[in-house]
Amino acid sequence: MLSCCVNLKGLSNIDDLGVDLYWMREAELKHCRLAMLAVVGALAQELGVVLPGMPSGKNQIDVFWQFYDRNPGPIFASFIFLGLVEIISGIATTEGRKSGSRAPGEFGFNPLGFGKSPSEAKDLALKEVRNGRLAMWAAAGILLQGATTHAGALENLF
């Protein structure tokens, strides 16, 4: 049927880049978690939760550029800090892939003890990925709407 027409060999391995399914799964989980935090942060900012010394506003794009115009130093410092975090995370991912002792996205941080049984852990991992994929779309929508309408996500929604 379809398998005779499509060659699926190497679907989960990109030889030229040295990326395999383990690496892609790690990247997806990282982006899912970041998108979930971004959506919560954007909605909190719009609802009026603002850190001291930070500009307030409804639109994340406008707030970012207001902060950058006033004080660009922390923006560049955060890029350096996040670059270091990415290097450390990349080392952990590479070593976990080599040894096979670490599941993608597993950092040993579970203070509430979720997913103690294997079936519960598998169910929670599936929920995390599904919610994270939705959050990636939501974060993209919030940022694109903010860039085009200069209004907040809730303001655009209602």
Side-chain angles (χ1 to χ4, degrees), residues 26-63:
E26 182 81 31
E28 181 181 34
L29 285 171
K30 186 185 297 183
H31 287 94
C32 285
R33 292 169 180 170
L34 185 64
M36 288 187 276
L37 287 172
V39 169
V40 169
L43 295 177
Q45 171 82 24
E46 189 172 348
L47 292 172
V49 178
V50 181
L51 294 174
M54 299 293 287
S56 62
K58 300 282 185 190
N59 179 4
Q60 289 297 304
I61 302 292
D62 293 340
V63 169

Side-chain angles (χ1 to χ4, degrees), residues 78-153:
S78 67
F79 281 130
I80 293 169
F81 173 73
L82 292 173
L84 293 173
V85 168
E86 285 295 317
I87 290 170
I88 294 168
S89 173
I91 292 169
T93 301
T94 303
E95 292 301 316
R97 181 176 50 173
K98 283 181 190 175
S99 67
S101 62
R102 179 180 167 275
E106 179 62 43
F107 289 99
F109 181 72
N110 189 6
L112 299 177
F114 289 125
K116 291 185 179 183
S117 72
S119 64
E120 184 184 358
K122 186 177 180 181
D123 185 48
L124 288 173
L126 180 62
K127 288 178 182 178
E128 178 184 26
V129 169
R130 287 182 176 171
N131 288 322
R133 289 173 181 164
L134 179 63
M136 285 189 268
W137 282 107
I142 288 171
L143 292 174
L144 288 173
Q145 281 184 342
T148 56
T149 65
H150 297 284

